[in-house]
Amino acid sequence: MFPRKPINSIVAALCFCLVFTSFSPFALAQKKTAPVEATPPPVREAFKFGEVDLEVLEQADLLDVRFERDGLVLADGPVNAFLRRVGQSLIPRDLELERVTWKFRALRDPQPNAFALPNGSIYVTTGLLTLIDNESQLAAIMAHELTHVMRRHTYMHNRSNRKKFLTMNVMAAVGAYAPGGVVGAVITIVTTVAPFIMIATIYGYSRDLEREADLKGIDMMITAEYAPEEMVNVMKLLDRDFEGENVRLFYNDHPSLDERIKYLSNYLGARADKVTHQMELNRERAAYFKTIQPLMRHNLQLTINAGRARSAVFHAQRLVDFHEDSENLFWLAESYRALGPRSPQLTEKELTNSAKKDAAKKRVKRTAEEEERDLLATDAGKENWQKHQQKAEELYRRALNAENPTPVAHRGLGMLYEKLDRKSDAVAEYEKYLELSPTATDRERIQRRLDALKEKLK
Ligand SMILES: [Zn+2]
């Protein structure tokens, strides 16, 4: 039951519902041929807007404004064009919906998530765009989310649960959660601006509505020539847990992954075997990575800032495997430096629900620095730290020896040496960084660190 859940579980559940209640569009740079369509049935809409629906709509519009005003919407022309292309390719051409204007945008948030607002705004986080493998998986997410909008699920959910919502103190519940960085910003904004939409995401839609979005999504994918089994593949990806986050436990209202895979496979039947040439193209990983690489790098910074070092190492390694250039090597080095004394992967034991609950409690009470200090007091922590700083140093060096070396690797080495108390080495690296990066925005900050080190060396 919701009111009995501890605050953290509420917030965790809320994050998770967002992931699955929304689907996001992505667009590839390659040009797609027009989708082959069977004669579509005429689109008739029976939905009539009432006062309570208009209230929800107003909240959705306000949310769009706030996301933009607070700098959460990614300003990246090619990525936005890509999202728009994939999203639009899924929408039936003759469909016109009252009070819906389709918008496809990326949110600067390292937590994998996607959601649809009833006004037609589809958001996909940079964390989700980084996690998936190809355009078809983006299409799967978007097709699901688009269905929530097309079938007016948010309004219907609000109508049937409104009484319950009105008695809940969502503000207090979510306000007690102390979010950090951009991850927290999204949730805080949704809660303040759109409590009804927020509550809907805490509860999630009903199983029936989720199922409808999955199945209708499959049909939309096939029509737009996206391989439908990527819907299942993307669900498996979203089920992965790098950070030991205690979210699944409270995800009660939604069909489980196994259940979804089962009904999707049944629904697909023989259609799963019909793979067209265009479908093959749409699930090419290289084409997708090429389009999304700048976003992935940006997301790595957000991921590290949010203390999600294990995810950062995983994603940076994928980038290096895709294309081993100076910048990608630099990001892998940064990720290992951020990992510090932490273990690279969580153990089976750490991934149990009770261990995740304990970890969530600790996260609220401890800063990242305190966590590192505690870990460094253990043998395993010391060993990890040594391994990861060596790995980071080696990767920074490789970044500097690669073609077109990025000067920022000198800054990374400086910070690593500073932490290792190798003051003169740190000074040399910071000086090289400042010399090679005359226009860097963090020059002042690095200069101050440099001056402080020189002072200590006197
Ligand atoms: Zn959904």
Side-chain angles (χ1 to χ4, degrees):
M1 288 290 291
F2 175 74
R4 287 210 298 271
K5 281 180 198 164
I7 300 303
N8 283 336
S9 342
I10 293 165
V11 174
L14 157 176
C15 304
F16 192 69
C17 290
L18 283 177
V19 168
F20 271 83
T21 53
S22 40
F23 265 26
S24 55
F26 236 59
L28 264 199
Q30 87 217 29
K31 209 170 174 320
K32 270 164 41 76
T33 52
V36 183
E37 283 176 31
T39 319
V43 184
R44 259 181 242 111
E45 203 194 2
F47 192 81
K48 291 273 169 287
F49 279 83
E51 209 174 301
V52 289
D53 306 313
L54 293 174
E55 198 180 327
V56 168
L57 178 68
E58 195 187 328
Q59 287 187 1
D61 290 342
L62 279 171
L63 262 184
D64 284 335
V65 175
R66 275 296 294 271
F67 284 148
E68 204 143 336
R69 201 184 76 195
D70 290 15
L72 290 167
V73 177
L74 185 78
D76 181 322
V79 167
N80 288 330
F82 173 56
L83 294 177
R84 202 163 43 242
R85 179 173 71 65
V86 175
Q88 291 288 359
S89 77
L90 293 160
I91 300 170
R93 264 178 258 161
D94 56 349
L95 179 70
E96 268 184 43
L97 290 171
E98 194 188 343
R99 301 178 201 269
V100 169
T101 309
W102 298 112
K103 282 188 190 133
F104 303 94
R105 291 188 283 196
L107 276 186
R108 300 172 57 245
D109 181 344
Q111 190 141 25
N113 241 328
F115 54 97
L117 301 182
N119 61 2
S121 290
I122 313 283
Y123 290 101
V124 193
T125 65
T126 52
L128 180 58
L129 291 169
T130 300
L131 182 70
I132 60 179
D133 278 330
N134 56 44
E135 177 176 332
S136 299
Q137 292 180 355
L138 175 69
I141 289 169
M142 283 192 166
H144 176 107
E145 290 307 320
L146 287 167
T147 307
H148 282 318
V149 180
M150 283 156 45
R151 299 282 166 102
R152 309 293 195 180
H153 286 174
T154 311
Y155 297 120
M156 279 152 52
H157 188 78
N158 182 55
R159 284 179 187 180
S160 50
N161 292 284
R162 199 171 170 79
K163 268 195 193 140
K164 188 163 63 180
F165 291 173
L166 286 169
T167 60
M168 278 171 51
N169 192 343
V170 194
M171 298 294 189
V174 182
Y177 170 67
V182 179
V183 181
V186 170
I187 290 163
T188 310
I189 290 171
V190 183
T191 316
T192 335
V193 179
F196 288 140
I197 291 175
M198 192 64 192
I199 300 166
T201 61
I202 290 173
Y203 278 106
Y205 295 108
S206 68
R207 294 172 102 85
D208 286 348
L209 296 187
E210 287 303 331
R211 194 184 145 99
E212 183 182 16
D214 285 344
L215 300 186
K216 172 87 181 122
I218 287 279
D219 292 340
M220 289 162 80
M221 286 179 79
I222 293 174
T223 306
E225 289 204 69
Y226 289 108
E229 71 264 30
E230 293 298 334
M231 171 83 82
V232 172
N233 291 339
V234 78
M235 282 175 188
K236 287 181 187 161
L237 276 182
L238 283 166
D239 202 47
R240 293 182 67 161
D241 184 1
F242 298 103
E243 309 291 343
E245 288 161 328
N246 193 20
V247 289
R248 221 114 317 174
L249 240 191
F250 305 97
Y251 190 54
N252 297 327
D253 286 347
H254 291 59
S256 70
L257 179 66
D258 288 346
E259 191 185 335
R260 282 178 130 169
I261 291 174
K262 207 185 268 171
Y263 69 58
L264 282 171
S265 309
N266 283 341
Y267 182 70
L268 250 180
R271 291 189 296 170
D273 304 328
K274 278 192 200 149
V275 178
T276 65
H277 176 61
Q278 187 60 46
M279 283 182 180
E280 288 297 350
L281 286 180
N282 285 338
R283 57 179 178 195
E284 257 183 34
R285 196 177 186 190
Y288 176 72
F289 268 53
K290 212 173 155 194
T291 309
I292 225 72
Q293 187 172 244
L295 176 145
M296 285 177 167
R297 290 168 173 166
H298 179 71
N299 185 64
L300 275 167
Q301 185 65 70
L302 301 174
T303 307
I304 291 170
N305 291 351
R308 304 169 71 85
R310 291 184 183 97
S311 307
V313 169
F314 176 83
H315 293 309
Q317 185 64 59
R318 261 169 41 118
L319 266 184
V320 168
D321 293 345
F322 165 66
H323 183 51
E324 191 178 312
D325 65 2
S326 180
E327 209 173 326
N328 289 345
L329 286 164
F330 161 76
W331 281 112
L332 188 55
E334 289 280 282
S335 304
Y336 271 106
R337 186 164 65 83
L339 194 57
R342 292 167 196 85
S343 60
Q345 269 121 33
L346 293 173
T347 59
E348 291 275 315
K349 204 177 140 202
E350 285 168 314
L351 285 170
T352 58
N353 286 329
S354 64
K356 285 184 192 177
K357 260 194 226 170
D358 288 346
K361 274 185 217 150
K362 275 188 189 164
R363 257 199 296 276
V364 178
K365 287 186 198 148
R366 246 180 3 179
T367 64
E369 287 76 25
E370 285 164 343
E371 186 198 356
E372 290 202 359
R373 194 198 54 209
D374 292 354
L375 282 170
L376 278 171
T378 67
D379 287 342
K382 280 188 203 114
E383 203 180 300
N384 281 328
W385 164 233
Q386 194 170 6
K387 228 170 23 197
H388 298 152
Q389 59 91 4
Q390 276 170 4
K391 185 95 187 155
E393 183 176 15
E394 178 214 315
L395 287 160
Y396 284 127
R397 293 271 164 231
R398 266 165 68 195
L400 289 170
N401 288 328
E403 214 178 310
N404 301 319
T406 174
V408 82
H410 286 296
R411 184 191 70 190
L413 273 176
M415 289 181 172
L416 186 71
Y417 292 149
E418 201 182 331
K419 196 146 192 180
L420 291 167
D421 210 27
R422 288 165 58 178
K423 294 191 186 71
S424 351
D425 290 334
V427 165
E429 295 299 337
Y430 284 150
E431 281 178 338
K432 268 184 219 151
Y433 171 63
L434 292 176
E435 180 195 323
L436 295 170
S437 319
T439 56
T441 49
D442 62 351
R443 279 187 69 86
E444 229 173 276
R445 187 166 62 92
I446 299 302
Q447 187 66 54
R448 275 201 301 275
R449 291 181 90 125
L450 182 59
D451 294 343
L453 277 173
K454 281 182 173 166
E455 192 59 37
K456 282 183 199 158
L457 277 171
K458 269 183 195 165

